[in-house]
Amino acid sequence: MLRKISLTAASAVVVLATVGAPVASAGAVTDRPAALAQRAQAAAPADNLAPGPYHRTLDPLVGTWKAVKYNYILGTGGKPIVSRDMTVRVRWISKTGGRFLEEKTEGTLGDRAYYRLGVLGFSPIDRRYEWTTFDSVTPTAMTYRGAPVSDKTSVLSIPGEFTDPGVLGPDYLGETIPMRTVITVRSKNRHTFDLYFTPPGQPERLVDRVVYTRKL
């Protein structure tokens, strides 16, 4: 008898776990499948793995470029140091399935050799552009994560922040500095990257501008 009662109780637990708690009315039973289907449809991604139209917005950046860099941090008296010998090569990284752009910059900045590697992509699930750079000046990765976008645009504003290793001077050493990269596609043969910093207690200011002209 005890064995039979135990089996019956176990069966009841399985049934409740499968169908859920008793419903309040027949109407609730009718609504449940529709609600589940609606929830599943909302959760199902259209295609969060493959490159899409927001990746295609970046296609004009692909190619080999002559770059002129205006750096205000290294300049004096409000005038930037200008480098005119930079070459930039941008390509879709095929081994990522064309999900990320690679940018390689080489030239000189001031009197020193300069190198930068950048990776730019779009996260479909977050609906945001993401940009990370590594260069021969800053001893840390500079990482940016944009706000969710709803429309394609020729101007991308991608914010981030970094811990200042001293590039803004000793007063800001170790401070967290908000930053923002603005990518403006002006034509298929020309675009700009503007970098802004917002030091604590100060307004946002332009610290670096790169003007790209396609090498034909």
Side-chain angles (χ1 to χ4, degrees), residues 158-206:
I158 316 176
E161 61 181 28
F162 74 105
T163 303
D164 188 4
V167 297
L168 291 176
D171 291 342
Y172 299 103
L173 180 64
E175 295 281 349
T176 298
I177 309 296
M179 60 183 178
R180 185 167 64 101
T181 287
V182 178
I183 304 171
T184 305
V185 179
R186 303 184 183 279
S187 72
K188 66 178 183 179
N189 293 322
R190 186 179 175 88
H191 61 271
T192 57
F193 276 50
D194 291 332
L195 174 60
Y196 297 87
F197 287 172
T198 307
Q202 296 187 25
E204 181 182 74
R205 69 173 188 251
L206 178 68

Side-chain angles (χ1 to χ4, degrees), residues 93-104:
I93 305 174
S94 60
K95 290 185 178 180
T96 68
R99 291 174 174 83
F100 298 96
L101 276 180
E102 175 193 79
E103 178 206 81
K104 286 185 178 180

